C-alpha cells in the first residue's frame, strides 16, 4: 500500500560552519503519521525539524510538502509556515497579548479571518487543550505546561497539514510534561501528521507510528516503536537505549 506522502526530504545536507549537521537525510512522512525523532544531543534532530518549515535553510537536497517544493522566502514562505505548524521548546507566546489574542493573531494576519471568527475558533481550540477558562489571561499568569498547550492551540488554529514539535516538553517541570503529552497523544489519535523531536520515550512508544533514531547528523534507524525499542539494530541505538532506559 502506497503511503500518501506529505513531507519528503531527499539528500538533505546542512552545515553550521565546519560542522556537518545533516548528512544526506532521506525521510518521508505519510499523511496522518506520527514520526518521533530521537537521538543523543547534537545529532541534528532539532535542525532536521527546523529545515522542514525553513527556519533553517539547506545547502543541498530537496524538501517537498504535499508534492510542492519548499518556497524560499516572502509570502509563499509565510503560507508554508501556516501549513506546517511548529511548537518550540520555549513557548514563543507574545507576553503582552492575552491567551485568546495569541491564538487568534495569525489566523487574522495570515489566514485573513475576521477577528470574531478567529476568536470563536481560538476558544474551541483552547477548550480542546483544556484551557478555555484561561483565554483572558496573559501568558505570564499561566504555568509552563499551560503555556505550551496554548502554543499547540495556536499552531492548530491555522489548520495545518502537519505539526512539528521541537522538544516541546524539555523546558517543563516533570509534573507538567504529561498534560502536554496528553494533548499530543489526542492529536495523534485524531490523525494529525506530526514530527516530534523528544526525549520522552514513553510517548515515542505509545504514540509514534515510526521512531527515527539519529546520530552524527544521519538517520541510523527508522522503525516501528516495537522494533526499535525491543530489537535496535545499530550499536549506536543500543548504546543510547541502554543509557536512557536505565534511569
Amino acid at each position: 500500500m502506497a503511503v500518501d506522502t506529505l513531507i519528503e526530504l531527499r539528500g538533505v545536507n546542512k552545515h553550521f560552519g565546519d560542522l556537518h549537521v545533516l548528512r544526506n537525510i532521506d525521510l518521508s512522512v505519510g499523511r496522518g503519521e506520527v514520526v518521533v525523532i530521537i537521538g543523543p544531543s547534537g545529532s541534528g534532530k532539532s535542525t532536521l525539524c527546523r529545515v522542514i518549515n525553513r527556519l533553517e535553510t539547506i545547502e543541498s537536497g530537496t524538501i517537498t510538502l504535499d508534492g510542492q517544493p519548499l518556497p524560499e522566502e516572502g509570502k509563499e514562505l509565510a503560507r508554508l509556515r501556516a501549513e506546517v505548524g511548529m511548537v518550540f521548546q520555549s513557548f514563543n507566546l507574545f507576553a503582552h497579548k492575552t491567551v485568546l489574542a495569541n491564538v487568534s493573531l495569525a489566523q487574522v494576519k495570515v489566514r485573513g479571518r475576521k477577528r470574531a471568527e478567529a476568536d470563536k475558533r481560538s476558544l474551541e481550540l483552547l477548550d480542546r487543550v483544556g484551557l478555555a477558562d484561561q483565554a483572558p489571561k496573559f501568558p505570564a499568569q499561566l504555568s509552563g505546561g499551560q503555556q505550551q498547550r496554548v502554543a499547540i492551540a495556536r499552531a492548530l488554529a491555522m489548520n495545518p497539514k502537519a505539526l512539528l514539535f521541537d522538544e516541546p516538553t524539555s523546558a517543563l517541570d516533570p509534573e507538567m510534561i504529561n498534560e502536554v503529552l496528553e494533548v499530543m497523544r489526542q492529536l495523534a489519535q485524531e490523525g494529525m501528521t506530526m514530527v516530534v523531536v523528544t526525549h520522552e520515550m514513553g510517548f515515542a512508544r505509545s504514540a509514534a507510528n515510526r521512531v527515527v533514531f539519529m546520530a552524527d547528523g544521519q538517520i541510523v534507524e527508522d522503525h516501528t516503536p516495537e522494533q526499535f525499542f525491543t530489537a535496535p539494530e545499530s550499536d549506536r541505538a543500543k548504546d543510547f537505549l541502554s543509557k536512557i532506559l536505565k534511569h
Side-chain angles (χ1 to χ4, degrees), residues 35 75 141:
V35 175
K75 275 211 167 69
Q141 296 171 281

Side-chain angles (χ1 to χ4, degrees), residues 82 86-87 91-139 142 145-160 163:
M86 182 108 179
V87 177
F91 324 119
N92 291 12
L93 298 174
F94 293 109
H96 60 289
K97 291 190 183 299
T98 64
V99 164
L100 182 64
N102 264 287
V103 181
S104 291
L105 186 67
Q107 295 180 64
V108 174
K109 288 247 191 292
V110 181
R111 288 285 193 223
R113 290 183 188 144
K114 297 266 188 297
R115 168 68 63 184
E117 182 196 347
D119 283 352
K120 180 171 179 281
R121 168 105 178 117
S122 298
L123 283 168
E124 285 164 9
L125 288 166
L126 286 167
D127 188 41
R128 188 164 156 191
V129 299
L131 293 172
D133 55 338
Q134 306 294 325
K137 292 190 177 169
F138 288 90
L142 272 53
Q146 288 173 320
Q147 289 188 59
Q148 192 59 294
R149 285 185 284 153
V150 171
I152 293 173
R154 178 181 59 181
L156 287 172
M158 304 302 281
N159 303 93
L163 280 182

Side-chain angles (χ1 to χ4, degrees), residues 34-38 181 184-185 188-189 196 198-212 223-232 237 240-242 244-247:
V34 177
V35 175
V36 170
I37 302 175
I38 62 175
L181 293 178
M184 291 167 64
R185 279 196 188 95
Q189 281 161 3
V196 183
T198 186
H199 296 289
E200 296 298 325
M201 295 303 136
F203 177 81
R205 272 201 149 131
S206 63
N209 301 102
R210 281 160 53 208
V211 172
V212 169
H223 291 306
T224 64
E226 177 64 21
Q227 241 176 325
F228 179 76
F229 286 108
T230 53
F240 177 78
L241 286 171
S242 72
I244 54 166
L245 299 176
K246 272 187 194 129
H247 296 314

Side-chain angles (χ1 to χ4, degrees), residues 49-84:
C49 201
R50 293 170 71 87
V51 298
I52 295 174
N53 77 347
R54 268 205 110 73
L55 285 169
E56 298 287 356
T57 53
I58 59 174
E59 279 118 40
S60 62
T62 57
I63 303 178
T64 54
L65 173 73
D66 220 353
Q68 301 293 316
L70 291 198
E72 293 296 326
E73 56 209 13
K75 275 211 167 69
E76 288 303 309
L77 187 53
R79 209 164 293 146
L80 163 85
R81 297 225 173 107
E83 299 296 339
V84 184

